Amino acid sequence: MNKTLSAFTLLETLVAVAVLLMSLLGPFSIAQQSLKSAYYARDQVTAYYLAQEGLEFVRAIRDQNYLSGSSWLTGISTCTAVQCTVDMPNFVYATCSGPCTALKVSAVGGLFNQANGTPSKFVRSVSLMNVAGDPNQVIVTVTVSWISAGISRTFSLQERLFNWL
Amino acid sequence: MIKTPRGFTLLMSVVISGVLLTLGYEIYNLAVKEVELSSSGRESQFAFYSADTGIECALYLDTKQDAFATTSALTQVTCGTAVSPLTRTTVGTDYITTFAFSLGGGINTQCVDVRVTRQNPQKTIIESYGHNTCVLTNPRRLERAIRVTY
């Protein structure tokens, strides 16, 4: 009786250490994974707002053309079938030669733009596509791509604009 | 002496690990909710811009083709990827034109229902209901709607 009990403390400690180790490693890796997906969730929210801004930019150009009495896609039609970067704060756009450059975050105000600031992880490209047989309709596609926790992600938003004025 | 409690270390370790596992599970739960929330925000964008395409198309049909007048002979329109028919009904003094179309952007196909009410005297109400997916049974299906009155 005494003999069996004498080794119990050691055995108990070993089992306890094993149990603690398991319960430490489990939540630790879960927390790590959770952090990764939390970053992804955060970046995805930024990405879809950036995509929204891209679409609104094209619409703003169209509306500006209406106000100035020009044809609806004056200027922005250079982005037909090619990728363009758009810059809302400076209200400019440019075609990409090669892959589009990443958006920058301005030092003042922290606004996403293409001109100056620290480069962000987001690359946004806007492209127009003509609809066969209908010159009064255009498909606008905005693609935002970024790398989140080592995995490259993209978000693509599409809208059709019409020449209704 | 014999009454000394045995197995206290083990009990303690089980209690601590229980606390840690609960903590880990809650962190996981939180992260899953975050991803769900941001994904529904993304899907919502698809629905919203589908609805917006519906508005754009209806405005075009009205200003350029006068498609919602009682005298209009137009029977079909091309807003999305295919030709869709116009359904016209009269409710009291309102002349209602409805049409539905689908779009091919994104992973899923988006569906839009547009309802145009022409009231007498001259007033137009365009209501566009955009959906992120055309599959009615999809649990992630959601709707964003825009109304334009002029």
Side-chain angles (χ1 to χ4, degrees):
Chain A
M1 187 68 177
N2 260 343
K3 276 228 161 186
T4 41
L5 275 173
S6 63
F8 183 73
T9 316
L10 181 64
L11 207 70
E12 187 196 9
T13 315
L14 280 176
V15 172
V17 165
V19 167
L20 274 179
L21 209 67
M22 274 198 294
S23 62
L24 266 177
L25 284 179
F28 204 74
S29 63
I30 289 172
Q32 206 178 14
Q33 282 299 317
S34 302
L35 210 62
K36 268 188 194 174
S37 46
Y39 281 137
Y40 169 55
R42 181 196 65 185
D43 292 342
Q44 183 164 252
V45 172
T46 311
Y48 72 62
Y49 278 122
L50 282 172
Q52 178 171 9
E53 190 187 60
L55 282 185
E56 296 299 336
F57 181 88
V58 179
R59 186 203 304 272
I61 292 277
R62 182 203 57 182
D63 292 351
Q64 192 120 5
N65 283 333
Y66 280 151
L67 290 171
S68 63
S70 316
S71 169
W72 71 308
L73 290 177
T74 303
I76 197 79
S77 58
T78 51
C79 297
T80 309
V82 292
Q83 303 296 322
C84 277
T85 55
V86 299
D87 182 335
M88 199 59 147
N90 299 309
F91 210 64
V92 289
Y93 54 91
T95 52
C96 302
S97 49
C100 293
T101 51
L103 284 154
K104 294 175 178 124
V105 181
S106 66
V108 183
L111 295 170
F112 281 101
N113 71 104
Q114 295 287 152
N116 47 51
T118 49
S120 71
K121 63 173 105 176
F122 298 98
V123 178
R124 177 176 60 191
S125 62
V126 176
S127 175
L128 304 188
M129 204 159 63
N130 288 324
V131 178
D134 192 353
N136 290 315
Q137 192 178 148
V138 73
I139 303 172
V140 185
T141 311
V142 181
T143 307
V144 178
S145 52
W146 74 101
I147 292 170
S148 181
I151 305 160
S152 60
R153 313 270 190 179
T154 54
F155 175 69
S156 197
L157 197 57
Q158 204 173 70
E159 189 190 23
R160 284 167 190 243
L161 290 177
F162 289 78
N163 182 18
W164 53 265
L165 203 68
Chain B
M1 190 69 166
I2 285 164
K3 284 251 164 183
T4 323
R6 287 275 180 183
F8 186 71
T9 320
L10 197 59
L11 179 75
M12 205 55 197
S13 78
V14 166
V15 168
I16 291 172
S17 63
V19 170
L20 286 173
L21 282 173
T22 317
L23 218 70
Y25 175 71
E26 289 306 325
I27 292 171
Y28 170 74
N29 236 354
L30 207 70
V32 166
K33 286 280 167 354
E34 276 174 11
V35 172
E36 268 176 19
L37 209 64
S38 75
S39 298
S40 79
R42 179 193 63 201
E43 294 300 318
S44 165
Q45 293 279 49
F46 293 136
F48 180 79
Y49 281 101
S50 307
D52 199 65
T53 300
I55 290 285
E56 287 272 330
C57 190
L59 284 171
Y60 174 74
L61 290 171
D62 191 22
T63 56
K64 292 290 165 85
Q65 301 185 12
D66 202 16
F68 309 124
T70 45
T71 51
S72 172
L74 206 68
T75 55
Q76 57 183 33
V77 292
T78 313
C79 284
T81 44
V83 175
S84 42
L86 292 176
T87 313
R88 299 173 189 277
T89 48
T90 309
V91 179
T93 54
D94 296 352
Y95 188 63
I96 299 165
T97 310
T98 57
F99 61 97
F101 62 92
S102 62
L103 296 161
I107 308 154
N108 297 316
T109 316
Q110 287 98 50
C111 274
V112 190
D113 295 306
V114 185
R115 177 189 160 97
V116 183
T117 310
R118 174 61 58 81
Q119 290 175 341
N120 196 16
Q122 194 84 345
K123 188 185 177 189
T124 311
I125 302 163
I126 304 172
E127 289 162 313
S128 179
Y129 304 88
H131 303 98
N132 62 328
T133 168
C134 296
V135 184
L136 290 168
T137 51
N138 192 328
R140 292 185 185 278
R141 181 178 152 100
L142 48 88
E143 178 182 273
R144 294 283 293 268
I146 308 173
R147 182 192 292 136
V148 174
T149 312
Y150 55 94

